[in-house]
């Protein structure tokens, strides 16, 4: 029986977050430049999005480029930005055909102008789609996001727009860039690394974490299905005892 056949579609995670790791190592194994791995990683993105949509997963968030990634060699960063532009341009029609809405979180102002333009146009074009919301975390850092939220809350308190006593967890979450998206229930990281690398620190509080040794360019929908099967075998207690859950 395939992993897909073992999935209980009535208990799907509503939101899956992914750290796409291992492009550079994959390229090195092929004796190629790192950008070759990033290009092949696009195939993994396409297959993963297709797999999530097939099952009925409602939200998929991919960690595409962190704020720390700006410190990589300039040639690699430039190649990544060009790849992002060309990929968005090529894939927008596919997103439309598959009823997928594109979204983005992060410091988008830091992106090159051409890159930001292509991204915002694709987001606008797909804004009415309803099958799956695909969010790209670009120039994203969770600590940056939390600091931005704290800064905005402080400004609203100072201006009288917000009362100090009204700040609670839901109110704080409403200032995050993911305010219109449910928290992930499953987080997948490829390449064998076992950390969350400044990714959705607030939102992953109760997510199940799944680590696979598969390098991102080799990741396919069957790997996604395997992760979901693993997720469905776990007991999610949210601070309660097993007896209370049962």
């Amino acid at each position: 029986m395939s992993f897909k056949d073992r999935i209980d579609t009535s208990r799907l995670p509503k939101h899956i977050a992914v750290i796409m790791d291992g492009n550079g190592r994959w390229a090195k194994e092929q004796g190629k430049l790192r950008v070759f791995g990033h290009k092949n990683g696009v195939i993994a993105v396409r297959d993963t999005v297709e797999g999530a949509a097939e099952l009925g997963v409602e939200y998929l968030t991919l960690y595409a480029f962190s704020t720390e990634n700006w410190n990589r060699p300039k040639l690699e960063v430039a190649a990544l930005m060009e790849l992002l532009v060309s990929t968005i341009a090529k894939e927008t029609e596919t997103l439309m055909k598959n009823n997928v809405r594109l979204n983005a979180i992060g410091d988008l102002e830091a992106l090159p102008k051409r890159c930001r333009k292509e991204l915002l146009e694709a987001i606008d074009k797909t804004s009415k789609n309803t099958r799956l919301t695909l969010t790209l975390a670009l120039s994203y850092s969770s600590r940056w996001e939390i600091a931005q939220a704290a800064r905005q809350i402080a400004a609203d308190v100072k201006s009288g727009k917000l009362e100090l006593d009204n700040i609670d967890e839901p109110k704080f979450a409403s200032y995050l860039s993911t305010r219109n998206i449910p928290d992930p229930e499953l987080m997948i990281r490829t390449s064998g690394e076992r950390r969350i690398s400044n990714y959705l620190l607030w939102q992953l509080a109760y997510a199940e974490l799944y680590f696979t040794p598969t390098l991102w360019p080799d990741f396919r929908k069957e790997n996604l299905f395997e992760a979901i099967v693993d997720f469905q075998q776990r007991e999610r207690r949210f601070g309660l005892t097993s007896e209370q859950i049962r």
Side-chain angles (χ1 to χ4, degrees), residues 56-243:
V57 173
E58 295 180 42
Y59 297 89
L60 178 66
T61 300
L62 306 178
Y63 203 2
F65 192 84
S66 72
T67 52
E68 292 82 6
N69 288 154
W70 290 114
N71 297 319
R72 289 190 174 185
K74 288 184 179 180
L75 190 62
E76 182 181 352
V77 171
L80 274 168
M81 291 299 110
E82 281 299 314
L83 180 61
L84 181 61
V85 169
S86 62
T87 300
I88 291 170
K90 288 177 185 174
E91 298 296 329
T92 300
E93 286 308 315
T94 303
L95 295 177
M96 292 298 296
K97 190 182 300 182
N98 292 314
N99 197 19
V100 175
R101 181 170 74 95
L102 184 64
N103 182 42
I105 58 174
D107 184 9
L108 303 184
E109 291 299 317
L111 297 174
K113 188 175 180 179
R114 179 164 162 256
C115 183
R116 189 167 66 251
K117 180 176 179 291
E118 286 282 352
L119 176 65
L120 295 178
E121 286 178 356
I123 288 172
D124 181 64
K125 187 170 183 178
T126 63
S127 62
K128 300 292 194 296
N129 294 345
T130 58
R131 186 182 185 188
L132 168 72
T133 296
L134 171 64
T135 299
L136 302 180
L138 288 163
S139 190
Y140 175 85
S141 150
S142 191
R143 288 183 175 180
W144 169 85
E145 178 188 32
I146 290 169
Q148 289 286 104
R151 189 177 295 113
Q152 188 58 55
I153 287 171
D156 285 352
V157 169
K158 186 177 180 180
S159 69
K161 184 179 176 181
L162 177 66
E163 292 291 329
L164 189 62
D165 291 340
N166 290 337
I167 301 173
D168 55 14
E169 288 184 19
K171 177 59 70 175
F172 188 89
S174 74
Y175 280 81
L176 297 173
S177 56
T178 54
R179 55 188 165 274
N180 297 317
I181 302 173
D183 288 343
E185 294 165 275
L186 171 62
M187 193 284 291
I188 300 169
R189 180 168 187 155
T190 60
S191 87
E193 301 290 352
R194 294 175 177 266
R195 56 182 180 272
I196 56 176
S197 298
N198 203 5
Y199 182 46
L200 301 174
L201 300 178
W202 175 279
Q203 298 88 339
L204 290 176
Y206 281 102
E208 297 296 324
L209 307 183
Y210 178 86
F211 302 102
T212 172
T214 303
L215 300 177
W216 179 249
D218 290 328
F219 196 88
R220 293 294 181 270
K221 63 176 72 173
E222 191 68 12
N223 301 103
L224 174 69
F225 300 155
E226 182 178 5
I228 294 172
V229 168
D230 181 88
F231 167 84
Q232 293 187 338
Q233 292 172 343
R234 302 188 190 187
E235 183 180 72
R236 307 188 73 217
R237 295 190 296 274
F238 300 100
L240 302 176
T241 66
S242 296
E243 289 72 19

